[in-house]
Amino acid sequence: MALSLDAATGTHIGDRKEQQDRVAIIPSKRLKGTALVVLADGAGGYTGGAAAAEQVIRTATNLFEGFSPKDESPSSCCARSPPRRTW
């Protein structure tokens, strides 16, 4: 059974001065018809929230570029993410 999906992203800044949230649809370079959707929540207007959300998108993109369902599960792909930092 074939499945077709059209996707788009959008954000709403609300009453904040800066939109820190990030959303991305990352198409796979290795698997035709496969994409990863990532939603990274900012830090509620605190300093560094936008940069942190951008880092989540970059990390997800890097991990997904190497993902192959023949070689690993989605959960093991996520487990390859860098260790979490506590500030």
Side-chain angles (χ1 to χ4, degrees), residues 10-70:
T11 61
H12 183 274
I13 196 165
D15 61 355
R16 305 231 186 243
K17 292 181 181 179
E18 174 189 27
Q19 177 56 279
Q20 293 185 342
D21 303 341
R22 299 293 185 265
V23 61
I25 301 171
I26 307 162
S28 174
K29 295 178 182 177
R30 300 174 72 189
L31 303 166
K32 182 180 178 184
T34 303
L36 175 67
V37 178
V38 180
L39 173 62
D41 194 16
Y46 289 101
T47 302
E54 286 289 341
Q55 183 60 47
V56 168
I57 300 295
R58 282 192 300 273
T59 299
T61 300
N62 291 337
L63 289 171
F64 192 57
E65 284 178 354
F67 174 69
S68 172
K70 293 178 184 176

